[in-house]
Amino acid sequence: MSKTKILLVEDDPNLGDILQEYLGVKGFDVTLCRDGEQGWNKYKKDYYQLCILDVMMPKKDGFTLGKEIRKVEENIPIIYLTAKNLKEDVIQGFRIGADDYITKPFSMEELLMRIGAILRRTHHQGEKVALKTYSFGNFTLHYDKQQLEGPDGLHKLTSKENELLRLLAAAQNENVSRSYALKQIWGDDSYFNARSMDVYLSKIRKLLKSDETVQIITLHGEGFKLVAN
């Protein structure tokens, strides 16, 4: 069974190292970043199942990073860590979609229990939260029905087309890395899966031709984005 991948962004070097080592011993695959910008760059290049973000960080604070992550994957669980115990911080954290909020100092056991509870909850809710529609230009993606509605009618999508278009629509006008898309939908970023994804992208581009304001732009082979003017 593969390990749950966690993105940990914590600027305190001692706490960051301790958390990474502890969670690693408990069976998680943890990537540690020291500031918000590094955390954002790592997130765009890989696939994670949970994020643990410190609130007060240099270059990019945890709340800003959390908002950017939510634009790409609205359902990924996020836990915020903070040294402050202000009511305003807690309210802001939950307002932008925090799954949990832990005030330092905290015990490793408490964090582990909260991670376990969140992962169990999101696993059971996975099918429910996916039933959504996405609009871009003159198109509407009915994700739950695997249908794309556009100027030239209704198109039935394959499961891969549906997943790939949802990923692009959720991050509309923002770059999605090839590696991230492959790991989210195909499970790994192997050469053969990459070629398969290119075929599906080509099919999706043809479906979008009926609206000239909508297009998928490839960014130097590293990623792509759905642009809707």
Side-chain angles (χ1 to χ4, degrees), residues 26-225:
K26 294 300 180 179
F28 296 97
D29 181 359
V30 182
T31 298
L32 173 61
C33 299
R34 302 296 189 186
D35 62 64
E37 283 190 3
Q38 184 184 18
W40 176 235
N41 290 331
K42 281 286 187 183
Y43 181 82
K44 291 189 294 183
K45 295 177 181 178
D46 209 340
Y47 166 64
Y48 298 97
Q49 292 152 290
L50 182 141
C51 297
I52 302 175
L53 312 178
D54 186 26
V55 172
M56 300 298 293
M57 293 188 293
K59 299 184 180 179
K60 191 192 298 285
D61 66 85
F63 289 145
T64 300
L65 176 57
K67 289 178 182 178
E68 292 178 341
I69 289 173
R70 287 282 191 217
K71 289 180 181 179
V72 176
E73 180 48 66
E74 61 182 339
N75 299 317
I76 186 170
I78 298 177
I79 298 174
Y80 288 101
L81 308 178
T82 182
K84 297 192 295 184
N85 193 22
L86 298 178
K87 181 180 179 181
E88 292 77 10
D89 279 347
V90 176
I91 292 174
Q92 183 180 357
F94 284 112
R95 182 180 294 133
I96 64 176
D99 291 270
D100 212 336
Y101 194 102
I102 302 180
T103 302
K104 303 173 186 175
F106 54 85
S107 70
M108 298 294 109
E109 291 79 9
E110 178 187 7
L111 176 61
L112 184 64
M113 288 177 63
R114 295 196 185 198
I115 289 173
I118 288 172
L119 291 176
R120 286 192 297 272
R121 185 171 69 246
T122 54
H123 174 74
H124 291 308
Q125 292 178 344
E127 294 185 6
K128 295 180 182 178
V129 298
L131 303 181
K132 295 185 180 295
T133 60
Y134 300 84
S135 297
F136 44 94
N138 293 311
F139 292 101
T140 299
L141 171 65
H142 300 279
Y143 178 70
D144 56 326
K145 300 177 181 178
Q146 290 189 204
Q147 293 177 338
L148 177 65
E149 184 179 359
D152 58 346
L154 201 62
H155 299 276
K156 182 66 176 177
L157 303 175
T158 66
S159 59
K160 286 290 193 293
E161 289 169 347
N162 194 46
E163 293 292 342
L164 187 53
L165 190 51
R166 184 203 66 84
L167 189 67
L168 290 167
Q172 191 174 151
N173 295 316
E174 293 194 9
N175 182 29
V176 176
S177 75
R178 289 178 62 84
S179 177
Y180 176 81
L182 285 164
K183 290 177 180 177
Q184 280 276 59
I185 299 171
W186 275 266
D188 66 67
D189 56 356
S190 69
Y191 172 83
F192 295 104
N193 285 339
R195 298 285 71 78
S196 175
M197 184 172 69
D198 289 338
V199 171
Y200 283 105
L201 279 171
S202 178
K203 292 180 179 179
I204 291 172
R205 283 190 171 102
K206 291 179 181 178
L207 292 174
L208 300 180
K209 279 187 175 181
S210 58
D211 184 350
E212 295 181 354
T213 68
V214 177
Q215 57 182 317
I216 298 173
I217 298 176
T218 301
L219 304 169
H220 307 296
E222 296 181 358
F224 34 76
K225 63 181 177 179

